Amino acid sequence: MAVEGLRYYAHPDNPSWTCFDQSATLDIKNFFGFEHSMEKMGMKQYTQTTLKGKEIIEYFIGQLKQEGITHVPRWASIDANDAEVADDDVKLQTGSSMLKKEDSASLDDEYISKNLGEMTPLQESKLVELEALLKEKNEYQTPDHQMICRFLRARDFNVEKSYQMLQDSLKWRQDNDIDHILQLYKAPPVVTKHFPGGWHHRDKDGRPLYVLRLGHMDVKGLLKSIGEDGLLRLTLHICEEGLQLMRDSTKELEKPVSNWCLLVDLEGLSMRHLWRPGVKALLNIIETVEKNYPETMGRVLIVRAPRVFPILWTLISTFIDDGLERYLPSEIIPDFLGGPSTY
């Protein structure tokens, strides 16, 4: 079931600006246990469709500007009492021009282009609004713009929902000392010796690449050795490494890199990997990561997937490309996949 909503309203900081919100919910029931995944796939397709409408609006705004029209008289009734309002013009706003003057110093076009990526004027205003809210009410240190943007995107730029999600995550980070995990975490010997995963260069879009040979993972052995908390701590350390690598890539490449790429090798995957305690631990870990590292998984490449799980294969096969070279530089393709690189 799909429900769509449209809303027009005056911008809270400037009533001369009209804001437009478009939202939709999609609820899929009883799809072999993959309802959440199918909902995400459906909403992704819906988002791509709505972006086409945005492109049309921007096209006609561009046409008006080419004709020299940069102001459109604000509509007002003929009532003499409204004559003063009728003289007020509304500028056609593009880029970051909707930001308040005092905010534009740190969020100018160049900064946004290099650090945050393409954003609509409304999205920029939402960023300013949430940052101000955090500085006013937040009891924790205000996060950087990249982190704020990730939580805004995770909640479709709804400031109230993003604020609550971010507040919960900041409290979780403080309670679990996440800000110091890169300095304090020491991988147990069993992880160093046997965990089949690691960071491995970047993909063609500059995303940090993590390679995980899931089919070679001894889930039962790991859980018996380090426990569920140990496996969670390992995962969080990997996520924090990913954030640092994204910052490094953004600085080095001078373009926004806001997520990473995951290459999953499923060779060797079998029913033994569906060990119930292991699956339960994995789901708990995924839930924690989704809550605290939203919008960080930019691309998932799945290779050598066995066909022993027909339903699972049906869902993931559409995401599998015939060749990795479409996404990865040929020189970094791992040797176990026929490439020249070792890690």
Side-chain angles (χ1 to χ4, degrees):
M1 179 181 68
V3 179
E4 183 176 358
L6 305 175
R7 183 168 71 108
Y8 296 88
Y9 58 97
H11 191 281
D13 294 325
N14 189 335
S16 295
W17 297 335
T18 298
C19 299
F20 168 65
D21 280 351
Q22 184 173 5
S23 63
T25 58
L26 180 67
D27 186 16
I28 297 177
K29 300 184 182 299
N30 191 22
F31 195 83
F32 307 105
F34 294 97
E35 295 82 7
H36 184 62
S37 298
M38 294 304 297
E39 286 175 357
K40 283 190 172 182
M41 291 169 59
M43 290 306 298
K44 181 178 180 181
Q45 184 63 44
Y46 174 83
T47 301
Q48 292 173 347
T49 301
T50 56
L51 286 176
K52 294 179 181 178
K54 169 179 172 290
E55 292 173 1
I56 293 173
I57 294 174
E58 291 180 341
Y59 170 79
F60 283 107
I61 290 177
Q63 291 292 103
L64 290 172
K65 293 181 68 177
Q66 289 180 11
E67 296 174 10
I69 301 174
T70 57
H71 293 73
V72 175
R74 181 176 180 178
W75 180 89
S77 66
I78 307 300
D79 192 319
N81 294 330
D82 296 327
E84 184 177 348
V85 176
D87 292 332
D88 186 17
D89 288 342
V90 180
K91 290 185 178 181
L92 294 171
Q93 301 292 336
T94 60
S96 61
S97 57
M98 283 184 64
L99 297 176
K100 293 181 294 184
K101 184 176 181 181
E102 61 267 26
D103 298 313
S104 60
S106 61
L107 281 174
D108 56 22
D109 288 339
E110 183 179 2
Y111 174 86
I112 291 173
S113 175
K114 287 185 177 180
N115 295 276
L116 305 179
E118 182 179 351
M119 298 178 70
T120 67
L122 179 58
Q123 290 172 343
E124 293 172 17
S125 70
K126 297 289 188 181
L127 172 58
V128 172
E129 184 180 348
L130 179 53
E131 184 180 30
L133 185 63
L134 287 166
K135 289 180 178 179
E136 177 186 357
K137 297 184 176 181
N138 181 30
E139 60 183 284
Y140 310 102
Q141 182 176 354
T142 302
D144 59 26
H145 291 132
Q146 290 84 352
M147 185 173 181
I148 296 176
C149 276
R150 286 198 299 272
F151 280 80
L152 278 169
R153 291 190 176 99
R155 290 296 178 263
D156 297 322
F157 284 85
N158 181 299
V159 172
E160 182 179 347
K161 292 181 179 179
S162 301
Y163 174 77
Q164 187 58 57
M165 183 183 185
L166 190 47
Q167 277 285 88
D168 292 342
S169 182
L170 291 173
K171 182 180 186 304
W172 170 83
R173 293 183 68 87
Q174 178 175 284
D175 292 345
N176 294 276
D177 200 20
I178 301 299
D179 288 340
H180 301 104
I181 194 171
L182 290 179
Q183 295 78 30
L184 300 178
Y185 178 80
K186 300 297 181 183
V190 66
V191 170
T192 304
K193 186 175 181 180
H194 297 292
F195 187 74
W199 293 103
H200 182 71
H201 303 284
R202 301 171 181 151
D203 70 4
K204 286 189 174 181
D205 293 317
R207 296 182 178 97
L209 172 65
Y210 194 87
V211 179
L212 178 63
R213 304 189 71 179
L214 189 59
H216 290 221
M217 183 183 295
D218 181 4
V219 180
K220 184 179 293 187
L222 273 174
L223 282 177
K224 288 185 176 180
S225 299
I226 64 176
E228 184 174 340
D229 289 342
L231 189 56
L232 173 60
R233 204 70 181 169
L234 167 62
T235 304
L236 299 179
H237 182 260
I238 292 171
C239 290
E240 289 296 311
E241 285 181 322
L243 295 181
Q244 182 59 55
L245 290 170
M246 291 188 318
R247 289 190 287 266
D248 294 343
S249 294
T250 295
K251 183 177 181 180
E252 182 178 338
L253 302 176
E254 296 187 339
K255 69 173 186 178
V257 179
S258 58
N259 44 51
W260 56 70
C261 178
L262 174 64
L263 171 61
V264 184
D265 177 23
L266 296 183
E267 183 192 48
L269 193 70
S270 65
M271 296 302 294
R272 66 184 176 88
H273 290 91
L274 298 182
W275 180 52
R276 185 180 295 273
V279 172
K280 181 181 178 182
L282 179 60
L283 292 176
N284 289 337
I285 289 172
I286 290 175
E287 182 180 5
T288 299
V289 171
E290 285 185 341
K291 287 180 179 178
N292 299 287
Y293 300 91
E295 302 296 314
T296 53
M297 186 66 70
R299 175 178 292 152
V300 179
L301 304 174
I302 300 176
V303 297
R304 301 198 289 190
R307 297 178 180 269
V308 296
F309 307 111
I311 296 176
L312 178 61
W313 177 258
T314 299
L315 289 175
I316 67 175
S317 61
T318 56
F319 299 100
I320 301 175
D321 195 82
D322 291 336
L324 289 177
E325 291 191 2
R326 177 179 175 182
Y327 304 106
L328 307 181
S330 58
E331 65 272 14
I332 74 163
I333 294 178
D335 53 0
F336 61 85
L337 296 177
S341 182
T342 58
Y343 75 102

